[in-house]
Amino acid sequence: MTRRALLKLLGLAPVAAFVGCAEAKDAGATGSSAFSKVEWKKILPPESYRVLFEEATERPGSSALNHEKREGVFVCAACFNPLFDSTGKYESGTGWPSFFKPIKATALGTSTDYLLLFPRTEYHCAHCGGHQGHLFNDGPAPTGKRYCNNGVALRFIPKTETLPALRG
């Protein structure tokens, strides 16, 4: 069930309409990828597609990437754009893989969403526009940032393996 549908079910149709406006604003964020949402839906597992292109959220504690400690790179699960290096990962206690810095500033784009009725900074893959998670100002030094990521929106590539070619 989408957040908009839940709000309607709870009788908060005016709020749902507002949320719809916020979603519509961000829905066009497709990055530089040549793939459409229809094409992504054909190649991604359903849960990854829901998170990446419908801005769903996976259950906290459900990702194997929470426990990933090896050296390597976390890439976007859709287009394989490198997003985070393992040296920027830390245990935030939130139940989602968390990072204090992206692999490079241009790897991610941001927008403001109001899906919980207050502004939050959403971040997404700069290549395909896939929703990754939310950015908070409560992370560790040296950045003070917490990139709280959905595990199904990422794929881990160990340092011993070659990064996959960018797709889409």
Side-chain angles (χ1 to χ4, degrees):
M1 174 179 289
T2 67
R3 284 172 229 179
R4 190 176 339 150
L6 178 62
L7 290 171
K8 286 179 182 176
L9 182 67
L10 295 173
L12 298 173
V15 173
F18 176 74
V19 168
C21 291
E23 288 175 338
K25 174 184 164 241
D26 295 337
T30 56
S32 59
S33 171
F35 280 17
S36 68
K37 286 186 177 183
V38 171
E39 290 168 300
W40 287 123
K41 194 168 192 169
K42 289 179 186 174
I43 62 174
L44 291 171
E47 185 62 18
S48 292
Y49 178 83
R50 283 183 6 85
V51 167
L52 287 159
F53 297 103
E54 295 177 350
E55 296 187 22
T57 300
E58 70 183 350
R59 284 186 0 264
S62 64
S63 175
L65 295 182
N66 285 334
H67 309 291
E68 183 57 67
K69 306 288 187 218
R70 296 175 290 171
E71 289 184 38
V73 174
F74 294 84
V75 301
C76 174
C79 69
F80 306 146
N81 186 27
L83 301 179
F84 299 99
D85 186 271
S86 60
T87 59
K89 185 175 186 283
Y90 74 101
E91 178 53 54
S92 66
T94 62
W96 289 281
S98 297
F99 305 86
F100 60 83
K101 67 177 182 175
I103 202 162
K104 60 183 180 179
T106 57
L108 300 171
T110 62
S111 63
T112 301
D113 80 35
Y114 295 89
L115 299 178
L116 294 179
L117 305 181
F118 60 89
R120 299 184 302 169
T121 302
E122 178 270 344
Y123 67 93
H124 50 270
C125 174
H127 181 70
C128 70
H131 170 72
Q132 294 291 320
H134 288 88
L135 176 59
F136 302 95
N137 292 317
D138 61 2
T143 65
K145 304 290 184 190
R146 173 171 51 100
Y147 292 83
C148 191
N149 220 99
N150 287 283
V152 296
L154 294 171
R155 178 174 163 194
F156 178 72
I157 309 299
K159 184 179 180 180
T160 56
E161 295 180 19
T162 304
L163 291 176
L166 201 60
R167 70 176 172 183

